[in-house]
Amino acid sequence: MSDQTHLTLNDGRSIPQVGLGVWQTPADTTADTVAVALAAGYRAVDTAAVYRNEKGVGEGVRRSGLARNEVFVTTKLWNDNQGYDAALTAFDKSLGRLGMDHVDLYLIHWPAPTQNLYLDSWKALVRLKEEGRAKSIGVSNFAVPHLERIIGETGVTPAVNQIELHPRFQQSALRAFHADKGILTESWSPLGQGKTLDDPTLTALAQRHGKTAAQVIIRWHVQLGLIVIPKSVTPSRIAENLDVFGFALDDADMAAIAGLDGAQGRIGPDPAAFG
Ligand code: NAD
């Protein structure tokens, strides 16, 4: 799809705003799913070592016939491999499974603060970027103190913080901090894992725009300037989730979705206590 939008990372590189998430996509069908998405126009895929489907992502990219530099591939360092040397080793293994000589974005998956190794891991990612094997580097599930510490200690600001973000958990304070620091916000579980799709506010907006609730939610992420990585294995939904560039939500629509935010809306683990 030629009309999809891109954002510029703080290192000057460009990232497609909508990508395919592959958490819980089965390893044996991931290549098919990725190839379907790339044929539908996606140019970004979000995987992780812990998803155990990096091999399928690599195969899907190769099967698409697209040049490697046409597809933005993100993977992540798992909690068991935090630390400087362990992170470098884990990165090599991810590249091996992907069958690639670089990734476009490498993220620390969780700060895992009780391990207290995320600063060492970040220093490893800084080295991987200097080596050009991770073209961009960032983090996931980091809170403000974690971000302040790695920036303060290394002088290198993550390009991205990938966090849980959907209409019922909108993360306004963290988004404002990111904006101040030049960090792009990437929304995980952007559809609330499918649980927000029957919300009456969203279904009413969908009906008015002649779109689905999933498309309204993805469009909301796009208009907020977020990177968004909805997951599906169903070809029609994969296509639907990228088809969000031909309509716009107006101010009243955006305000109505803003009203769905709630402090209790978190679905996933609390980063302060996980890993
Ligand atoms: P999601 O919010 O993308 O929801 C996915 C579910 O919504 C699907 O399984 C399906 O049931 C439903 N769905 C998708 N498209 C639909 C459509 N058009 N119509 C109807 N139903 C539809 O949830 P997710 O998979 O948790 O998150 C997306 C991606 O975010 C993941 O695949 C992964 O890449 C990433 N993620 C990262 C972290 C992290 O810690 N960094 C955590 C969770 C997810």
Side-chain angles (χ1 to χ4, degrees), residues 20-25 45-48 51 76 78 107-110 139-141 162-166 187-197 212-215 218 229-234 236-238 240-241 267-269 274:
L20 179 74
V22 296
W23 178 40
Q24 296 178 319
T25 300
V45 183
D46 180 85
T47 185
Y51 301 169
K76 313 185 191 85
W78 186 238
L107 305 177
I108 302 175
H109 207 143
W110 293 86
V139 295
S140 179
N141 300 302
Q162 183 184 116
I163 56 173
E164 179 178 345
L165 203 165
H166 44 80
S187 306
W188 66 251
S189 295
L191 303 173
Q193 295 178 2
K195 295 180 185 100
T196 51
L197 295 172
T212 67
Q215 288 172 317
I218 295 166
I229 45 171
K231 176 256 179 183
S232 178
V233 294
T234 308
S236 59
R237 287 176 172 176
I238 289 173
E240 174 187 320
N241 292 346
I267 297 171
F274 187 70

Side-chain angles (χ1 to χ4, degrees), residues 17-221:
Q17 222 180 331
V18 180
L20 179 74
V22 296
W23 178 40
Q24 296 178 319
T25 300
D28 58 348
T29 55
T30 298
D32 294 339
T33 300
V34 168
V36 162
L38 295 174
Y42 284 74
R43 291 294 178 267
V45 183
D46 180 85
T47 185
V50 76
Y51 301 169
R52 300 194 182 282
N53 55 20
E54 288 169 310
K55 190 163 177 280
V57 169
E59 279 173 22
V61 170
R62 284 185 290 282
R63 201 185 293 169
S64 74
L66 292 164
R68 174 66 189 86
N69 66 8
E70 291 181 272
V71 185
F72 193 105
V73 176
T74 299
T75 194
K76 313 185 191 85
L77 173 72
W78 186 238
N79 303 341
D80 293 352
N81 300 118
Q82 289 252 9
Y84 188 81
D85 292 332
L88 294 176
T89 303
F91 178 78
D92 285 342
K93 288 185 178 169
S94 280
L95 277 192
R97 287 187 292 265
L98 287 161
M100 294 175 176
D101 65 3
H102 71 274
V103 295
D104 295 279
L105 179 61
Y106 196 45
L107 305 177
I108 302 175
H109 207 143
W110 293 86
T114 54
Q115 292 191 45
N116 196 22
L117 290 170
Y118 63 86
L119 175 59
D120 295 332
S121 302
W122 182 243
K123 288 176 180 170
L125 267 62
V126 171
R127 173 171 160 182
L128 291 168
K129 179 167 167 54
E130 284 165 2
E131 292 174 352
R133 298 196 299 147
K135 299 289 179 194
S136 297
I137 54 173
V139 295
S140 179
N141 300 302
F142 273 43
V144 168
H146 312 132
L147 292 166
E148 284 180 328
R149 183 166 173 222
I150 62 170
I151 296 166
E153 293 279 347
T154 66
V156 181
T157 302
V160 162
N161 188 15
Q162 183 184 116
I163 56 173
E164 179 178 345
L165 203 165
H166 44 80
R168 296 212 176 114
F169 194 63
Q170 301 188 13
Q171 300 259 30
S172 311
L174 195 46
R175 275 196 278 135
F177 181 83
H178 292 167
D180 187 50
K181 296 286 181 193
I183 300 168
L184 291 184
T185 305
E186 182 165 23
S187 306
W188 66 251
S189 295
L191 303 173
Q193 295 178 2
K195 295 180 185 100
T196 51
L197 295 172
D198 58 359
D199 180 281
T201 300
L202 295 167
T203 53
L205 286 174
Q207 196 172 18
R208 195 158 65 74
H209 285 280
K211 296 288 171 184
T212 67
Q215 288 172 317
V216 166
I217 299 171
I218 295 166
R219 181 71 205 176
W220 171 79
H221 289 273

